Amino acid sequence: MVLFLLVLAAPLHAQTGAKPVALVNGEAITDEDLGRAANGRIRMLTQSREPSQSDESFEREKLAIRWDALNYLIERRLTRAEAARRYRERA
């Protein structure tokens, strides 16, 4: 299974208008997908932010949430592709 990030996904952006952040086996994970996966946790982080927390620290935490969400989406697509492959082998 192949994973391409950002640079290889650029032509897809021109075709669909959705900004791809990753490609998994030719299937794009868009910035919108990533937003849906991460925005709830980012909203909770924003609501619980301590006034003393630096902007740099806060942005690092938001980036970590987006990174975790992207990894989750990649793993989910890979798992789905593997399940489909195994299903085809049995058929």
Side-chain angles (χ1 to χ4, degrees):
M1 290 178 227
V2 180
L3 167 68
F4 295 100
L5 294 177
L6 298 174
V7 176
L8 297 178
L12 184 65
H13 173 58
Q15 296 171 2
T16 65
K19 182 181 175 191
V21 294
L23 281 178
V24 179
N25 292 333
E27 185 180 352
I29 295 174
T30 66
D31 195 44
E32 288 178 3
D33 297 330
L34 183 55
R36 281 191 297 273
N39 283 347
R41 287 180 55 202
I42 290 174
R43 201 171 18 260
M44 288 174 33
L45 175 69
T46 302
Q47 292 170 350
S48 65
R49 182 179 181 182
E50 294 293 326
S52 60
Q53 184 180 22
S54 70
D55 289 343
E56 182 180 308
S57 171
F58 181 68
E59 290 302 319
R60 244 190 336 266
E61 286 190 49
K62 282 179 20 181
L63 185 59
I65 289 170
R66 286 180 58 84
W67 185 254
D68 288 345
L70 179 59
N71 283 325
Y72 166 76
L73 292 172
I74 290 169
E75 288 177 24
R76 193 171 77 181
R77 302 253 169 111
L78 290 173
T79 301
R80 187 173 45 190
E82 178 65 15
R85 183 189 66 79
R86 289 181 182 190
Y87 178 78
R88 284 190 305 272
E89 285 178 356
R90 288 185 179 184

XYZ file of all heavy atoms in Angstrom:
726
model
N 0.837 -1.170 0.000
C 0.000 0.000 0.000
C 0.882 1.234 0.000
O 1.894 1.269 0.667
C -0.901 -0.024 1.209
C -1.948 -1.099 1.109
S -2.955 -1.163 2.543
C -2.895 -2.920 2.793
N 0.438 2.218 -0.736
C 1.286 3.375 -0.978
C 0.653 4.618 -0.375
O -0.543 4.825 -0.477
C 1.488 3.577 -2.494
C 2.367 4.759 -2.769
C 2.071 2.319 -3.121
N 1.487 5.441 0.207
C 1.042 6.703 0.788
C 1.864 7.816 0.183
O 3.087 7.795 0.220
C 1.245 6.681 2.310
C 1.127 8.014 3.032
C -0.316 8.492 2.983
C 1.584 7.870 4.457
N 1.182 8.786 -0.419
C 1.844 9.966 -0.960
C 1.335 11.169 -0.183
O 0.144 11.282 0.073
C 1.512 10.169 -2.434
C 2.029 9.086 -3.319
C 1.195 8.078 -3.748
C 3.351 9.078 -3.703
C 1.663 7.071 -4.555
C 3.828 8.084 -4.512
C 2.981 7.069 -4.947
N 2.205 12.079 0.171
C 1.798 13.272 0.907
C 1.934 14.510 0.049
O 2.684 14.541 -0.910
C 2.630 13.441 2.179
C 2.439 12.371 3.231
C 3.367 12.621 4.412
C 1.015 12.322 3.709
N 1.256 15.539 0.411
C 1.267 16.891 -0.099
C 1.722 17.098 -1.537
O 0.929 17.424 -2.376
C 2.092 17.775 0.842
C 1.548 17.869 2.253
C 2.492 18.643 3.132
C 0.191 18.494 2.280
N 2.993 16.964 -1.835
C 3.532 17.344 -3.131
C 2.863 16.567 -4.256
O 2.470 17.132 -5.265
C 5.058 17.136 -3.167
C 5.611 17.423 -4.534
C 5.732 18.008 -2.120
N 2.703 15.280 -4.082
C 2.102 14.467 -5.125
C 0.597 14.684 -5.216
O -0.019 14.323 -6.206
C 2.415 12.988 -4.893
C 3.894 12.643 -4.956
C 4.097 11.169 -4.655
C 4.485 12.981 -6.311
N 0.018 15.264 -4.219
C -1.419 15.486 -4.221
C -1.796 16.809 -4.880
O -2.963 17.056 -5.137
C -1.949 15.459 -2.788
N -0.854 17.654 -5.197
C -1.140 18.973 -5.751
C -1.994 18.942 -7.007
O -2.923 19.734 -7.131
C 0.164 19.725 -5.989
N -1.747 18.042 -7.975
C -2.612 18.038 -9.158
C -4.075 17.754 -8.835
O -4.966 18.259 -9.503
C -2.015 16.920 -10.025
C -0.608 16.796 -9.571
C -0.638 17.124 -8.101
N -4.345 16.978 -7.824
C -5.712 16.680 -7.439
C -6.425 17.940 -6.975
O -7.593 18.141 -7.263
C -5.729 15.626 -6.325
C -7.106 15.153 -5.892
C -7.783 14.416 -7.046
C -6.987 14.246 -4.698
N -5.724 18.804 -6.281
C -6.298 20.057 -5.790
C -6.822 20.885 -6.954
O -7.905 21.448 -6.881
C -5.260 20.834 -4.984
C -5.705 22.203 -4.584
N -6.828 22.412 -3.832
C -5.187 23.424 -4.833
C -6.976 23.711 -3.628
N -6.003 24.342 -4.234
N -6.067 20.940 -8.027
C -6.479 21.717 -9.184
C -7.750 21.149 -9.803
O -8.577 21.892 -10.327
C -5.352 21.748 -10.207
N -7.940 19.835 -9.734
C -9.092 19.202 -10.356
C -10.344 19.301 -9.497
O -11.434 19.488 -10.012
C -8.798 17.729 -10.632
C -7.688 17.529 -11.633
C -7.286 16.063 -11.708
O -7.848 15.211 -11.048
N -6.265 15.784 -12.507
N -10.224 19.145 -8.192
C -11.406 19.048 -7.339
C -11.698 20.297 -6.527
O -12.807 20.463 -6.056
C -11.249 17.885 -6.337
O -10.165 18.184 -5.461
C -11.025 16.567 -7.046
N -10.733 21.150 -6.321
C -10.917 22.321 -5.488
C -10.694 22.041 -4.018
O -10.541 22.955 -3.236
N -10.695 20.780 -3.610
C -10.430 20.410 -2.222
C -8.927 20.280 -2.043
O -8.252 19.657 -2.857
C -11.113 19.096 -1.879
N -8.414 20.861 -0.986
C -6.969 20.837 -0.756
C -6.570 19.493 -0.138
O -6.882 19.221 1.018
C -6.570 21.972 0.172
C -5.090 22.044 0.429
C -4.749 23.177 1.366
C -3.283 23.145 1.696
N -2.974 24.058 2.788
N -5.886 18.644 -0.910
C -5.454 17.362 -0.349
C -4.245 17.542 0.565
O -3.363 18.334 0.294
C -5.092 16.539 -1.586
C -4.767 17.537 -2.629
C -5.553 18.779 -2.309
N -4.244 16.807 1.656
C -3.103 16.821 2.567
C -2.346 15.508 2.513
O -1.212 15.423 2.967
C -3.518 17.156 4.022
C -4.032 18.588 4.113
C -4.546 16.180 4.542
N -3.008 14.468 1.951
C -2.355 13.165 1.794
C -3.117 12.349 0.764
O -4.293 12.600 0.512
C -2.322 12.423 3.128
N -2.413 11.395 0.176
C -3.036 10.413 -0.707
C -2.706 9.028 -0.170
O -1.546 8.752 0.117
C -2.485 10.515 -2.134
C -3.014 11.610 -3.033
C -2.309 11.581 -4.377
C -4.500 11.477 -3.230
N -3.715 8.210 -0.047
C -3.520 6.829 0.415
C -4.072 5.928 -0.676
O -5.271 5.939 -0.934
C -4.244 6.574 1.751
C -4.051 5.142 2.200
C -3.765 7.544 2.817
N -3.195 5.199 -1.327
C -3.603 4.318 -2.429
C -4.445 5.063 -3.458
O -5.444 4.560 -3.947
C -4.362 3.102 -1.901
C -3.480 2.187 -1.109
O -2.274 2.129 -1.325
N -4.064 1.476 -0.171
N -4.056 6.291 -3.762
C -4.752 7.084 -4.771
C -5.988 7.801 -4.273
O -6.623 8.541 -5.007
N -6.357 7.607 -3.030
C -7.538 8.242 -2.439
C -7.084 9.434 -1.597
O -6.267 9.296 -0.691
C -8.282 7.229 -1.569
C -9.572 7.737 -1.010
C -10.287 6.698 -0.161
O -9.861 5.530 -0.115
O -11.277 7.075 0.472
N -7.616 10.604 -1.900
C -7.192 11.824 -1.213
C -7.802 11.938 0.172
O -8.962 11.585 0.389
C -7.581 13.053 -2.027
N -7.004 12.425 1.089
C -7.488 12.909 2.376
C -7.373 14.418 2.260
O -6.273 14.952 2.081
C -6.645 12.383 3.548
C -6.773 10.863 3.649
C -7.081 13.059 4.856
C -5.873 10.237 4.693
N -8.501 15.094 2.302
C -8.500 16.536 2.089
C -8.378 17.294 3.410
O -8.555 16.718 4.489
C -9.796 16.990 1.382
O -10.899 16.772 2.265
C -9.998 16.261 0.062
N -8.113 18.573 3.275
C -8.060 19.434 4.446
C -9.419 19.448 5.149
O -9.491 19.529 6.372
C -7.635 20.839 4.042
C -7.202 21.677 5.215
O -6.459 21.154 6.073
O -7.593 22.858 5.282
N -10.494 19.325 4.367
C -11.836 19.250 4.961
C -11.994 17.987 5.798
O -12.555 18.033 6.894
C -12.902 19.275 3.871
C -13.083 20.609 3.210
C -14.130 20.567 2.106
O -14.757 19.502 1.900
O -14.308 21.591 1.455
N -11.518 16.847 5.275
C -11.567 15.588 6.033
C -10.811 15.742 7.348
O -11.273 15.330 8.408
C -10.936 14.434 5.249
C -11.655 14.106 3.956
O -12.881 14.308 3.871
O -10.965 13.651 3.012
N -9.632 16.326 7.243
C -8.793 16.519 8.420
C -9.472 17.448 9.419
O -9.458 17.188 10.626
C -7.421 17.056 8.005
C -6.391 17.240 9.095
C -6.169 15.956 9.875
C -5.084 17.738 8.494
N -10.093 18.499 8.911
C -10.811 19.418 9.793
C -11.934 18.730 10.543
O -12.088 18.910 11.750
N -12.715 17.908 9.826
C -13.808 17.181 10.482
C -13.279 16.254 11.570
O -13.902 16.093 12.619
C -14.616 16.391 9.458
C -15.603 17.241 8.676
C -16.562 16.386 7.877
N -15.904 15.582 6.857
C -15.636 15.990 5.619
N -15.954 17.215 5.258
N -15.063 15.182 4.753
N -12.131 15.641 11.314
C -11.572 14.696 12.288
C -10.947 15.410 13.486
O -10.913 14.851 14.586
C -10.525 13.812 11.608
N -10.450 16.630 13.302
C -9.690 17.302 14.360
C -10.436 18.438 15.045
O -10.100 18.787 16.184
C -8.381 17.850 13.780
N -11.414 19.026 14.414
C -11.998 20.260 14.939
C -12.652 20.134 16.306
O -12.600 21.072 17.101
C -12.970 20.864 13.934
C -12.254 21.576 12.812
O -11.057 21.837 12.897
N -12.976 21.865 11.748
N -13.253 19.004 16.609
C -13.860 18.845 17.927
C -12.824 18.913 19.039
O -13.027 19.595 20.049
N -11.713 18.215 18.828
C -10.647 18.231 19.841
C -9.997 19.610 19.921
O -9.638 20.071 21.010
C -9.599 17.176 19.520
C -10.107 15.759 19.790
C -9.092 14.698 19.470
N -7.827 14.900 20.151
C -6.673 14.375 19.741
N -6.634 13.603 18.660
N -5.560 14.600 20.404
N -9.853 20.281 18.786
C -9.261 21.629 18.797
C -10.196 22.597 19.510
O -9.747 23.460 20.270
C -8.919 22.095 17.364
C -7.740 21.270 16.840
C -8.619 23.588 17.336
C -7.386 21.523 15.391
N -11.503 22.444 19.303
C -12.471 23.293 19.996
C -12.379 23.084 21.506
O -12.393 24.046 22.282
C -13.881 22.975 19.476
C -14.876 24.051 19.710
C -16.230 23.844 19.013
N -16.564 22.512 18.546
C -16.439 22.097 17.272
N -15.967 22.894 16.349
N -16.779 20.864 16.931
N -12.265 21.825 21.935
C -12.123 21.534 23.371
C -10.833 22.130 23.915
O -10.810 22.687 25.021
C -12.159 20.026 23.611
C -13.525 19.438 23.433
S -13.640 17.620 23.540
C -12.424 17.163 24.706
N -9.754 22.029 23.147
C -8.473 22.603 23.563
C -8.606 24.111 23.723
O -8.124 24.688 24.704
C -7.391 22.268 22.532
C -6.021 22.894 22.744
C -5.353 22.285 23.974
C -5.158 22.709 21.507
N -9.270 24.749 22.777
C -9.451 26.201 22.823
C -10.252 26.614 24.051
O -9.910 27.582 24.735
C -10.155 26.682 21.540
O -9.367 26.295 20.406
C -10.344 28.184 21.532
N -11.301 25.856 24.350
C -12.150 26.183 25.492
C -11.441 25.979 26.824
O -11.748 26.664 27.799
C -13.432 25.363 25.452
C -14.340 25.740 24.311
C -15.495 24.780 24.126
O -15.550 23.714 24.734
N -16.435 25.152 23.270
N -10.497 25.061 26.871
C -9.811 24.773 28.134
C -8.442 25.452 28.233
O -7.706 25.199 29.176
C -9.648 23.262 28.311
O -8.797 22.745 27.303
N -8.134 26.315 27.276
C -6.820 26.961 27.263
C -6.638 27.851 28.487
O -7.503 28.665 28.822
C -6.659 27.799 25.997
C -5.317 28.462 25.891
C -5.178 29.266 24.626
N -3.851 29.876 24.566
C -3.458 30.665 23.607
N -4.273 30.945 22.601
N -2.247 31.186 23.630
N -5.505 27.657 29.124
C -5.148 28.492 30.277
C -4.654 29.849 29.772
O -3.917 29.914 28.785
C -4.035 27.826 31.090
C -4.447 26.527 31.747
C -5.476 26.733 32.840
O -5.425 27.761 33.533
O -6.341 25.855 32.989
N -5.016 30.930 30.446
C -4.566 32.257 30.012
C -3.033 32.394 29.993
O -2.485 33.175 29.211
C -5.176 33.207 31.048
C -6.296 32.451 31.656
C -5.930 30.993 31.575
N -2.362 31.614 30.819
C -0.905 31.717 30.894
C -0.202 30.937 29.788
O 1.017 31.075 29.611
C -0.410 31.225 32.254
O -0.782 29.870 32.425
N -0.939 30.130 29.030
C -0.322 29.321 27.975
C 0.116 30.218 26.819
O -0.649 31.044 26.330
C -1.297 28.262 27.461
C -0.677 27.342 26.435
C -1.659 26.283 25.935
O -2.870 26.458 26.026
N -1.120 25.199 25.419
N 1.347 30.022 26.377
C 1.868 30.834 25.277
C 1.189 30.442 23.969
O 0.708 29.315 23.808
C 3.380 30.654 25.143
O 3.682 29.355 24.655
N 1.167 31.387 23.035
C 0.597 31.105 21.713
C 1.362 29.981 21.026
O 0.767 29.132 20.364
C 0.637 32.356 20.831
C -0.358 33.412 21.281
O -1.292 33.084 22.041
O -0.196 34.573 20.858
N 2.672 29.970 21.197
C 3.506 28.934 20.584
C 3.135 27.547 21.106
O 2.980 26.592 20.334
C 4.978 29.225 20.856
C 5.922 28.224 20.227
C 7.370 28.559 20.528
O 7.778 29.712 20.289
O 8.080 27.646 21.005
N 2.959 27.430 22.387
C 2.581 26.155 23.000
C 1.200 25.721 22.531
O 0.971 24.550 22.220
C 2.615 26.290 24.519
O 2.064 25.163 25.128
N 0.278 26.665 22.470
C -1.078 26.378 22.025
C -1.079 25.894 20.574
O -1.735 24.904 20.239
C -1.938 27.632 22.180
C -3.360 27.443 21.765
C -4.214 26.628 22.486
C -3.852 28.104 20.649
C -5.526 26.459 22.106
C -5.166 27.942 20.259
C -6.012 27.126 20.990
N -0.337 26.565 19.711
C -0.261 26.165 18.297
C 0.382 24.791 18.151
O -0.025 24.006 17.295
C 0.494 27.211 17.480
C -0.253 28.512 17.309
C -1.619 28.354 16.647
O -1.740 27.573 15.681
O -2.568 29.001 17.105
N 1.368 24.493 18.990
C 1.995 23.168 18.976
C 0.984 22.085 19.324
O 0.941 21.025 18.704
C 3.169 23.124 19.955
C 4.501 22.912 19.300
C 5.642 22.634 20.255
N 5.519 23.101 21.615
C 5.980 24.260 22.081
N 6.601 25.081 21.285
N 5.829 24.578 23.342
N 0.153 22.362 20.317
C -0.872 21.398 20.712
C -1.900 21.211 19.600
O -2.343 20.087 19.337
C -1.558 21.836 22.001
C -0.689 21.632 23.230
C -1.466 21.839 24.514
O -2.569 21.265 24.643
O -0.963 22.572 25.374
N -2.295 22.296 18.943
C -3.236 22.183 17.824
C -2.625 21.367 16.690
O -3.306 20.522 16.093
C -3.634 23.569 17.313
C -4.641 24.255 18.173
C -5.075 25.634 17.739
C -4.870 26.065 16.349
N -5.324 27.442 16.073
N -1.361 21.598 16.408
C -0.681 20.843 15.356
C -0.608 19.360 15.709
O -0.816 18.499 14.846
C 0.718 21.415 15.115
C 1.512 20.803 13.970
C 0.783 20.962 12.649
C 2.879 21.453 13.891
N -0.348 19.065 16.968
C -0.294 17.664 17.413
C -1.653 16.989 17.227
O -1.731 15.829 16.805
C 0.154 17.581 18.872
N -2.731 17.709 17.500
C -4.078 17.166 17.302
C -4.315 16.881 15.825
O -4.815 15.820 15.449
C -5.147 18.125 17.863
C -5.092 18.131 19.391
C -6.552 17.757 17.358
C -5.932 19.207 20.045
N -3.944 17.825 14.960
C -4.129 17.617 13.513
C -3.284 16.446 13.021
O -3.723 15.656 12.196
C -3.804 18.901 12.740
C -4.882 19.966 12.893
C -4.588 21.236 12.131
N -4.410 21.064 10.711
C -5.389 21.007 9.810
N -6.647 21.093 10.206
N -5.131 20.857 8.528
N -2.077 16.323 13.547
C -1.196 15.215 13.155
C -1.805 13.873 13.574
O -1.821 12.926 12.801
C 0.186 15.418 13.767
C 1.184 14.412 13.319
C 1.675 13.371 14.051
C 1.815 14.314 12.048
N 2.565 12.654 13.303
C 2.674 13.213 12.067
C 1.729 15.074 10.872
C 3.441 12.827 10.977
C 2.494 14.697 9.789
C 3.335 13.588 9.850
N -2.307 13.811 14.795
C -2.965 12.589 15.274
C -4.182 12.255 14.414
O -4.412 11.088 14.084
C -3.406 12.737 16.733
C -2.253 12.715 17.716
O -1.140 12.314 17.341
O -2.489 13.118 18.878
N -4.965 13.265 14.077
C -6.149 13.044 13.254
C -5.757 12.551 11.861
O -6.394 11.654 11.307
C -6.980 14.325 13.156
N -4.700 13.119 11.293
C -4.238 12.668 9.979
C -3.774 11.218 10.041
O -4.126 10.410 9.173
C -3.114 13.566 9.458
C -2.538 13.184 8.094
C -3.612 13.180 7.014
C -1.392 14.117 7.722
N -3.022 10.881 11.065
C -2.582 9.491 11.214
C -3.775 8.548 11.354
O -3.781 7.457 10.787
C -1.639 9.335 12.407
C -0.250 9.838 12.089
O 0.225 9.698 10.977
N 0.393 10.423 13.078
N -4.784 8.966 12.088
C -6.002 8.165 12.235
C -6.671 7.945 10.881
O -7.061 6.828 10.544
C -6.967 8.853 13.212
C -8.352 8.279 13.168
C -8.641 7.058 13.771
C -9.374 8.941 12.498
C -9.913 6.519 13.710
C -10.652 8.406 12.432
C -10.909 7.207 13.041
O -12.172 6.663 12.976
N -6.809 9.019 10.096
C -7.454 8.903 8.789
C -6.651 8.001 7.852
O -7.222 7.202 7.101
C -7.638 10.286 8.167
C -8.646 11.196 8.867
C -8.591 12.605 8.281
C -10.050 10.627 8.775
N -5.329 8.118 7.898
C -4.468 7.261 7.065
C -4.636 5.804 7.474
O -4.840 4.931 6.628
C -2.999 7.708 7.161
C -2.815 9.054 6.459
C -2.070 6.646 6.565
C -1.472 9.713 6.724
N -4.561 5.534 8.771
C -4.715 4.157 9.254
C -6.075 3.587 8.881
O -6.185 2.424 8.493
C -4.521 4.105 10.771
C -3.088 4.296 11.189
C -2.920 4.312 12.697
O -3.785 3.742 13.407
O -1.929 4.889 13.163
N -7.109 4.400 8.985
C -8.451 3.944 8.641
C -8.548 3.577 7.158
O -9.114 2.549 6.801
C -9.465 5.035 8.987
C -10.891 4.542 8.964
C -11.828 5.552 9.519
N -12.040 6.575 8.493
C -12.805 7.632 8.657
N -13.385 7.851 9.810
N -12.978 8.486 7.689
N -7.965 4.400 6.302
C -7.996 4.099 4.859
C -7.182 2.855 4.541
O -7.569 2.041 3.700
C -7.492 5.290 4.056
C -8.290 6.556 4.299
C -9.182 6.930 3.155
N -10.099 7.986 3.528
C -10.058 9.219 3.058
N -9.138 9.558 2.187
N -10.948 10.100 3.451
N -6.023 2.715 5.190
C -5.203 1.526 4.953
C -5.910 0.262 5.432
O -5.877 -0.772 4.759
C -3.838 1.672 5.634
C -2.896 2.707 5.029
C -1.664 2.875 5.902
C -2.502 2.326 3.610
N -6.555 0.345 6.583
C -7.290 -0.800 7.121
C -8.443 -1.175 6.196
O -8.671 -2.361 5.922
C -7.818 -0.486 8.533
O -6.704 -0.179 9.377
C -8.590 -1.642 9.116
N -9.145 -0.174 5.712
C -10.253 -0.431 4.798
C -9.757 -1.079 3.501
O -10.368 -2.021 2.995
C -10.978 0.878 4.493
C -12.237 0.698 3.700
C -13.009 1.973 3.559
N -12.126 3.075 3.212
C -12.500 4.338 3.213
N -13.712 4.665 3.545
N -11.648 5.282 2.885
N -8.624 -0.607 2.983
C -8.060 -1.189 1.762
C -7.623 -2.635 1.996
O -7.830 -3.504 1.141
C -6.881 -0.344 1.271
N -7.038 -2.897 3.144
C -6.601 -4.254 3.471
C -7.802 -5.178 3.617
O -7.789 -6.322 3.152
C -5.760 -4.258 4.744
C -5.295 -5.623 5.186
C -4.341 -6.312 4.226
O -3.794 -5.658 3.322
O -4.137 -7.531 4.389
N -8.865 -4.704 4.248
C -10.076 -5.513 4.395
C -10.676 -5.825 3.025
O -11.105 -6.959 2.772
C -11.087 -4.787 5.278
N -10.693 -4.847 2.146
C -11.227 -5.072 0.802
C -10.371 -6.086 0.044
O -10.894 -6.958 -0.657
C -11.299 -3.753 0.040
N -9.059 -5.990 0.192
C -8.151 -6.933 -0.473
C -8.415 -8.352 0.017
O -8.522 -9.293 -0.775
C -6.697 -6.550 -0.216
C -5.691 -7.455 -0.945
C -4.262 -7.190 -0.514
N -4.009 -7.544 0.869
C -3.795 -8.786 1.312
N -3.828 -9.809 0.494
N -3.548 -9.010 2.587
N -8.535 -8.510 1.326
C -8.785 -9.843 1.889
C -10.136 -10.383 1.456
O -10.288 -11.579 1.206
C -8.691 -9.810 3.408
C -7.268 -9.635 3.884
C -7.192 -9.638 5.375
N -5.828 -9.416 5.808
C -5.418 -9.563 7.056
N -6.284 -9.931 7.992
N -4.173 -9.322 7.365
N -11.126 -9.526 1.353
C -12.441 -9.941 0.906
C -12.383 -10.453 -0.533
O -12.978 -11.475 -0.873
C -13.439 -8.792 1.046
C -14.817 -9.134 0.559
C -15.672 -9.904 1.339
C -15.259 -8.698 -0.686
C -16.939 -10.235 0.902
C -16.522 -9.026 -1.134
C -17.353 -9.785 -0.342
O -18.606 -10.119 -0.790
N -11.654 -9.718 -1.387
C -11.522 -10.129 -2.781
C -10.794 -11.456 -2.897
O -11.117 -12.281 -3.760
C -10.775 -9.063 -3.588
C -11.614 -7.855 -3.927
C -10.921 -6.943 -4.920
N -9.603 -6.518 -4.488
C -9.346 -5.451 -3.751
N -10.331 -4.682 -3.336
N -8.113 -5.133 -3.419
N -9.824 -11.706 -2.032
C -9.080 -12.970 -2.060
C -9.971 -14.151 -1.714
O -9.795 -15.248 -2.223
C -7.898 -12.926 -1.109
C -6.743 -12.096 -1.610
C -5.602 -12.029 -0.606
O -5.723 -12.562 0.518
O -4.579 -11.413 -0.943
N -10.937 -13.934 -0.835
C -11.843 -15.011 -0.412
C -12.916 -15.276 -1.455
O -13.446 -16.373 -1.518
C -12.518 -14.650 0.900
C -11.583 -14.716 2.072
C -12.353 -14.460 3.325
N -11.446 -14.549 4.464
C -11.834 -14.444 5.693
N -13.114 -14.247 5.980
N -10.984 -14.511 6.673
N -13.265 -14.272 -2.214
C -14.363 -14.412 -3.182
C -13.976 -15.228 -4.378
O -12.940 -15.508 -4.739
C -14.828 -13.031 -3.633
